[in-house]
Amino acid sequence: KATVSVLNCVAHTEASSALAKEPSGAMSDMTDDAKQELHEIWTLFSELSCRARQVADNSISIQELPALLRALGQNPSEAEMAEIYAKADPMGTQSVQYNTFLQFAGGLVSNREQDIVEAFRVFDREGKAQLHTGDLRHAMCTLGEKFDDIEVDEMIKEAGVKGGEGMINYEDFAKKITQT
């Protein structure tokens, strides 16, 4: 639970602006787990959408795209959605195919690790990719989605505190939580 929650809390810092940009090599940058997650989310939305529209083309209605993006932990603005609509449905069919979805969603998932690193970098006073456990605890208990002490303790344990100084390498931590 803590891993998913930290992704949702921290990754929102820059993810919305990345939505409207074309990702480079989106699928090649994704882990197998990320590809599986995208496929599962798409399948759920597609089955419901196709059933409601009485079609069998494995697409989703363009109107369902914001909900699908929210299921991926994104919260695009109306302006960002306008750009996404233009790219996702250039022919005006009012539906989005899986391959088109992957062009956008692949970039979202593959950017999570970097988004998390950038968010933690704000707390890195010395620029050494190290975060003190006290800073992590403060951020997770007071900013964004607030965690309780037990959840933060779980995150710190998962992060792998190095040495007796209570420091976490947040680049390694971001990699670890995005690959689970």
Side-chain angles (χ1 to χ4, degrees):
K1 179 184 176 200
T3 298
V4 172
S5 296
V6 77
L7 277 171
N8 290 336
C9 178
V10 177
H12 281 85
T13 59
E14 296 180 10
S16 289
S17 64
L19 282 168
K21 297 177 184 170
E22 291 274 346
S24 59
M27 287 300 288
S28 62
D29 293 343
M30 293 173 57
T31 65
D32 289 339
D33 288 341
K35 290 176 188 176
Q36 180 66 29
E37 176 187 4
L38 286 178
H39 186 263
E40 288 172 6
I41 291 171
W42 177 266
T43 300
L44 174 67
F45 274 80
S46 175
E47 286 176 1
L48 294 172
S49 179
C50 287
R51 201 173 303 140
R53 293 178 295 131
Q54 298 180 350
V55 296
D57 64 357
N58 194 31
S59 68
I60 65 164
S61 165
I62 194 79
Q63 291 83 15
E64 294 167 314
L65 195 53
L68 181 67
L69 293 172
R70 285 191 297 276
L72 288 169
Q74 306 305 311
N75 191 22
S77 69
E78 287 184 33
E80 290 165 331
M81 281 310 306
E83 288 182 51
I84 292 168
Y85 288 143
K87 291 178 183 177
D89 188 22
M91 305 298 284
T93 62
Q94 298 298 303
S95 66
V96 179
Q97 298 297 321
Y98 184 60
N99 289 337
T100 303
F101 165 72
L102 289 178
Q103 292 174 5
F104 297 101
L108 297 175
V109 172
S110 64
N111 289 333
R112 281 184 177 174
E113 181 180 333
Q114 188 59 36
D115 291 339
I116 293 169
V117 167
E118 292 299 319
F120 282 139
R121 191 168 281 136
V122 171
F123 298 100
D124 184 1
R125 296 180 196 118
E126 298 175 17
K128 295 182 178 179
Q130 299 287 313
L131 183 66
H132 193 276
T133 56
D135 292 334
L136 177 63
R137 180 175 300 282
H138 173 74
M140 295 294 110
C141 290
T142 60
L143 304 174
E145 182 179 337
K146 294 169 182 56
F147 297 92
D148 62 34
D149 285 334
I150 295 170
E151 291 170 319
V152 174
D153 288 342
E154 184 180 321
M155 274 186 258
I156 291 171
K157 181 179 175 185
E158 193 171 324
V161 178
K162 295 187 179 183
E165 300 174 20
M167 300 301 284
I168 297 167
N169 181 308
Y170 57 80
E171 291 173 346
D172 293 344
F173 181 55
K175 185 176 298 227
K176 188 182 294 186
I177 64 175
T178 57
Q179 292 178 352
T180 57

